Amino acid sequence: MLRVAVVGSGPSGVYTAQALVQQQDVPGVTVDVLDRLPCPYGLVRYGVAPDHEKIKSLQNNLRAAMEHPAIRFFGNVPVGDGPRGLAPRRLLELYHAVVYCVGAATDRRLGIPGEDLPGSFSATEFVSWYSAHPDAAPGGFVLGARSAVVIGVGNVAVDVARVLARGAGELHRTDVPDAALAALAESRVTDIHMVGRRGPSQAKFTTKELRELGALPGAETLVRGEEAALDPAWGDPRGLPAAARRNVEVLRDWADRPPAGRPRRIRLRFFLRPVALLGDGAVRAVRFERTVPDGRGGVAGTGEFEEVEAQLVLRSVGYRGVPVAGLPFDAGPGTVPHAAGRVLREGAPSPGEYVAGWIKRGPTGVIGTNRSCAKETVTSLLADAAALAARTPVTAEEAHAVLRAAGRQPVEWPGWLGIEAAEAALGRRLGRGPVKIPDWAGLLSAARTGG
């Protein structure tokens, strides 16, 4: 019988655990899913926009997997060398195998002057705030800002632009924490500029997300036709891949249409590369260089510049993995070196150590991509089952005692159900549906009461 630890309870971690306990080749596999946070589901809970209720409902599928009798959840258990973390070498003393599914926890940087001015944030910081991540900084993202610039043209950029453009009344029915909802209700933002350095045909958002911008009741979406026409495919997008063609067709419908007089405007801009954030004590504008296609799929600068007013800048230029102390890490792609999911130390597979998800392949794909990624890793782990079973970790009871020791106070599944119950009760008191608890103390208190 194999006992496996899965580190991370987002989709990649849950799919890995599910694949392990549902396979038939190695009987009796049990899985402990460990997470630094007291709540499961990773980016499904803390990354999916609050108004995307259909995607958020994926939690129901993840819940069904986590309630398998051979899977146990231990939240509030940090992993990694350090004063509070369980070191990877220690985990290998507790389990036959460990699969790291820790995602990509930080943002790529622009590397330009002024990037750290007050008023400039990563999109992840903004998402964490309105998603009630317990590590999120306090509010203040939108109060007083008139003009916001979102740098990037992927789905996360669309999400943050859409949340800025929605009225508080539209978000009232979501699980946005109460303090964030109040701040968004007081927002003075009227103009939201979403800016990409390349053209419409190279934007990374999906057509469904793009169309949602055009359906907002209190905002209008504007496109400059002469700017978008720098894209060689703008005039005739029929040769593009289907997703890019649909995007261009939607944008062409919006190009140069007259303003409708709605209270907020989302301005989609293309062929502008940020070169500096400007301000004295706080950001006041973003300086962009005009770009043009270089004929090789990229862009070249023109030496022409434009300044766009902004009191709020949200940088959405991609995620990046961070090292797990005690594991090897390739800083270039921001991943753990591996071969078909087997962790490589000095080029050789490390017995008992595996990876899945973004820390394995980089921040690519959609939620469903994690299922095939997890399957590959589980296939490798099961192929190693005989060698893994020969290892002699401590018993399950001893392993769980270690998890509960050293002041970690792990949150097990009944504790998580207590958090869910507390969030439902909070929502009822506020006249809303379930409302997320946004702080560590509140989450752990709810877990103790419910667990």
Side-chain angles (χ1 to χ4, degrees):
M1 186 174 79
L2 291 181
R3 289 191 301 105
V4 180
V6 170
V7 180
S9 64
S12 64
V14 175
Y15 292 150
T16 297
Q18 184 180 45
L20 282 166
V21 299
Q22 288 183 345
Q23 55 77 36
Q24 303 295 319
D25 296 333
V26 180
V29 176
T30 61
V31 180
D32 289 345
V33 178
L34 317 181
D35 203 294
R36 182 182 69 85
L37 296 173
C39 307
Y41 310 142
L43 283 179
V44 175
R45 175 175 168 89
Y46 288 121
V48 174
D51 57 345
H52 275 179
E53 294 168 355
K54 184 175 181 181
I55 301 176
K56 289 175 75 68
S57 69
L58 177 62
Q59 288 190 19
N60 296 328
N61 297 339
L62 300 180
R63 173 197 290 274
M66 290 290 286
E67 290 182 337
H68 190 284
I71 296 175
R72 293 187 66 172
F73 174 67
F74 291 89
N76 196 34
V77 177
V79 170
D81 290 337
R84 290 195 66 241
L86 276 172
R89 62 183 180 280
R90 180 62 169 141
L91 280 176
L92 282 177
E93 297 171 355
L94 306 181
Y95 297 94
H96 291 98
V98 183
V99 186
Y100 294 90
C101 306
V102 293
T106 191
D107 293 82
R108 295 186 181 275
R109 290 181 60 82
L110 297 171
I112 61 176
E115 186 168 7
D116 295 318
L117 278 170
S120 169
F121 303 91
S122 71
T124 295
E125 290 175 292
F126 187 63
V127 170
S128 294
W129 171 68
Y130 68 60
S131 297
H133 194 292
D135 290 340
F141 286 95
V142 296
L143 293 178
R146 300 179 306 278
S147 178
V149 168
V150 180
I151 299 175
V153 285
N155 279 346
V156 174
V158 172
D159 282 347
V160 299
R162 193 180 63 254
V163 168
L164 281 171
R166 279 201 186 280
E170 298 170 63
L171 294 171
H172 186 268
R173 59 182 173 78
T174 72
D175 59 7
V176 169
D178 210 43
L181 185 66
L184 289 165
E186 296 181 31
S187 169
R188 301 174 188 171
V189 172
T190 57
D191 290 271
I192 302 150
H193 308 262
M194 194 167 73
V195 187
R197 63 185 176 87
R198 296 192 293 178
S201 67
Q202 295 164 314
K204 298 300 184 183
F205 41 62
T206 58
T207 308
K208 178 180 180 296
E209 294 261 3
L210 178 63
R211 285 179 174 144
E212 287 178 345
L213 293 181
L216 296 174
E220 53 191 322
T221 306
L222 306 174
V223 177
R224 296 186 183 184
E226 79 282 1
E227 184 174 80
L230 293 171
D231 190 321
W234 181 254
D236 184 2
R238 288 178 296 178
L240 293 172
R245 184 189 71 249
R246 289 192 295 267
N247 284 344
V248 171
E249 289 170 350
V250 170
L251 293 167
R252 283 175 46 163
D253 286 342
W254 293 346
D256 299 326
R257 62 183 179 181
R262 293 177 182 170
R264 295 186 177 93
R265 292 160 293 280
I266 301 172
R267 303 178 186 275
L268 287 165
R269 303 291 308 276
F270 298 99
F271 294 110
L272 292 172
R273 177 166 59 199
V275 294
L277 272 59
L278 308 177
D280 183 10
V283 65
R284 62 168 179 80
V286 183
R287 192 177 196 221
F288 292 97
E289 181 181 17
R290 168 67 60 191
T291 62
V292 292
D294 64 4
R296 300 185 300 275
V299 291
T302 64
E304 299 176 8
F305 298 91
E306 176 181 343
E307 291 183 12
V308 176
E309 177 194 357
Q311 297 82 37
L312 173 66
V313 176
L314 299 174
R315 313 179 306 270
S316 182
V317 292
Y319 292 102
R320 181 174 177 78
V322 296
V324 175
L327 278 185
F329 187 73
D330 186 339
T335 58
V336 171
H338 73 94
R342 297 179 177 91
V343 172
L344 300 178
R345 291 185 182 270
E346 298 181 355
S350 176
E353 293 186 309
Y354 301 85
V355 286
W358 280 1
I359 200 64
K360 169 187 172 185
R361 67 181 191 273
T364 61
V366 295
I367 290 175
T369 309
N370 291 296
R371 194 180 290 276
S372 57
C373 177
K375 182 178 180 181
E376 180 191 55
T377 295
V378 168
T379 298
S380 294
L381 190 156
L382 296 176
D384 301 339
L388 296 173
R391 301 181 64 251
T392 54
V394 303
T395 66
E397 292 74 17
E398 290 170 326
H400 295 162
V402 170
L403 297 183
R404 297 188 183 101
R408 291 190 180 90
Q409 299 179 321
V411 174
E412 299 185 48
W413 197 251
W416 159 240
L417 297 181
I419 292 171
E420 281 194 319
E423 293 182 338
L426 174 60
R428 286 193 295 271
R429 291 196 298 273
L430 297 170
R432 301 170 58 191
V435 173
K436 287 180 183 173
I437 297 170
D439 60 282
W440 278 95
L443 290 169
L444 294 178
S445 174
R448 287 192 296 270
T449 303

